[in-house]
Amino acid sequence: MWFMKSNDEVLQGFGVDKKTGLSDAEAKKRLEQYGLNKLKGKPKKSILSLFLSQLKDMLIYVLIAAAVITMAIGEYTDSVIILLVIFLNATIGVIQEYKAEKAVEALQKMTTPKAIVRRDGKELEINSEEVVPGDIVLLDAGRYVPADLRLIESANLQIEESALTGESVPSSKNAGTVFEDPKTPIGDKANMAFLSTLTTYGRGEGIVVATAMDTEIGKIATILEEDSSEMTPLQKRLDELGRILGYLAIGICLVIFIIAFIQKRDLFDMFLTAISLAVAAIPEGLAAIVAIVLALGVTRMSKINAIVKKLPAVETLGSVNIICSDKTGTLTQNKMTVVATYTSGKLKDIPQAGENMEASPEEAELIKSLVLCSDATYVNGQGTGDPTEIALIILGNKFGLPRNELHQKYQRVSENPFDSDRKLMSTLNTQDGRYRIHTKGAIDNILKISSSALVNGQVVPLTDALRAEYHKITEEMSDNALRVLGVAYKDTDQVLEPGEMEKELTILGLVGMIDPPRLEVKSSIQEAKTAGITPIMITGDHKNTAVAIAKELGIADSLSQSITGAEIDEISEDAFADHIDQYRVFARVSPEHKVKIVRAFKSKGNIVSMTGDGVNDAPSLKYSDIGVAMGITGTDVAKGASDMILTDDNFTTIVHAIEEGRNIYNNIKKSVVFLLSCNLGEVITIFLSILFHWPVPLIATQILWVNLITDSLPAIALGVDPGDKDVMKQKPRNPKESFFAHGAGLRAVIGGVLIGLFTLLAFYYGLSHHGYQLGSRMLSDEALEVALPYARTMSFVVLAVSQLFYSLSMRNFDKSIFRVGLFSNLYLIGAIVAGILLQLVVITIPVLADAFGVHNLSLSEWGVALGFALIPLLVNEVIKLFSRSFGKK
């Protein structure tokens, strides 16, 4: 709480003399006590630990168990295939996450390498890591602050703190100020300077009150270190699905053994059958397919300027219903711009773009004075100096009054620099053989030192009516969140002392400036609202300014929808969470407040996206469900803490990314429901055959082939299905919503039953066609041995091909395949053709046919198999037709 103590109390508290600073010996002692002024980072994750973390999944556990069992019973081919699937899944995850955790490293890079300190009465430049609490640090323009300081001396000192507070205008500092409120926001602590902020103007001295992890930046690093990674909705769904399938597989095996025991079958044979059934119950390719679909989604998103760092974040985007956005640099352009001038009773709006604009004589004088009374420069689109002055230079360029020409023609002779007490700056320049004083600053102070005004080219006395008019215009501009500057001048025959310049001036007028909203953001916010997403503004800026911008963008309607950080501190966390839905603007907030806001929204069951670019955004980026950093203006810290980076810093890209995220989730859902339909078909086929005391229609190798090859190709093709054009007209998906909501579960069951029944029918046909009638006691085991390979081939082909055809119906749960477009997903058509060709290869090449226990089929048998395989697709399309008709009624 050093900002609440006087300079003498601070010096006394650290036992240091302002004139001499610490002694070398004392500095070394404190360095040992407090350690290096350096941020600590988390130990890096090795590739191995990243790889192992990908295996923490119920489906993977079940696959590992299946691999171990198949190896134990000598089915080495099956084991190798399953282990390859596990390896592929983990590798995809590692590649995507390898560069994810860079946040604290970036924070370490931000700390400045050198600092000027006073030790033993001498001024020394040392490595900033060697700065210790109690050191006297000297600041001047262009120098980074090496630690958190309590200022003990300041002269026109201004420090740019936007990365920490979100304010685009440098903060004026005053060492003499003492605050009484212990909850004073960071942005208002005028007697403090913070680590990694930049001195832009003036000079100062301060005593180091905190180093390393004890600084405000250090607190952010601490928050980032806390492990807060939660499972995404998709991970939760797949984990839940994995558990259900795992328990289902175990349950099925137990049921098989009970049936086998009752039927007095060979228990070892039944053990092999149980393994087949367990393999059938688990979609072995699911984990890898979901990873591949997400990876392909990431590639697609990079083409729309969104780089996703963690695969599951793609799907999380589709559930987002709250976008918390930092104001400065994200919703606004992070550059002050003059948008209005007032001279001679005329208020004029200044367009953001344009050159060689016409100015009235009074307006030209106003702009000339502003440019001459500025130290900033603006060359080739790059500005240096105070952002407010850069805005004034740009204003001059728009009206054909460039800085360099004016400064050459009207050379500066003397000046009275800006200071935070006067809130004025004056320069004395040559003009037509005489001198002119140009003064800019707070309008109240300009009015106090002015006695006349320039009205319609004439200098007239500054009457009470004119003063009232200037106050009225100032209030109007302030209500519109504009920062107002007044401008005045005075002609003189001699060079005046700085203290004599600001007397009896003639007021020229006013300018209003603002950090303007990004041009494209308003339409994006409207699109987000249509999609059921609520945009929220979070900023370190003042409440009125923030609300004015929010109103202009359509984020908020009134001041009552805003709250400040100080007001948040006054209420309990529970009360704050209860009322969180009524707020749209959060102003004057600290990094801790941002995290509190994100947590409050999440406590209401919202899926929260936080966008930002500053250091102050990093903790909330980390805690939100999806953290979005700006790629151009964003700090490395923000990028490191985020899940997604926008390469064009465009708020609109977030909306496009959400649309892409929704489509990707829908595609994953199609793939999952398709795979489960297929697996259910396999389970029904084997389970019913055992129940009816039939031979088993499929062996484990055949099931693995279908699950990993035949099913996987269409599942991946469904994963890259073209997006639904109406997806952004729907409300965000409830993250608790099951994969099987909206009738998807029923479709999976219907599809599975149809595939299972027709596979069994094909098996029955194969046995009958080759002379073996099930249930006939007259036939020998030799007859069964002859007929069984053909029957299994029929069931193998029908199972695989029916699943391939059925994938066409899974593209849309409501629209027919013709309405969706039979050839609008060529990848799926290719997958079906490839799947059928692979089946043909397996049953015609002798080596493969022996390995899979199948025989070549005749042309008529192929015809029957294809006929059976088409029926599940046709039935599903008829069901869609009836459900659409029923829906219309």
Side-chain angles (χ1 to χ4, degrees), residues 465-503:
L466 276 172
R467 285 177 189 275
E469 184 64 18
Y470 281 116
H471 278 300
K472 179 179 162 233
I473 297 297
T474 302
E475 278 179 29
E476 282 178 20
M477 286 185 174
S478 297
D479 288 343
N480 288 321
L482 301 188
R483 187 168 184 236
V484 184
L485 276 183
V487 196
Y489 78 98
K490 178 169 78 172
D491 290 324
T492 175
D493 292 318
Q494 63 192 61
V495 176
L496 300 179
E497 290 298 312
E500 297 298 310
M501 288 181 185
E502 293 161 1
K503 293 175 182 175

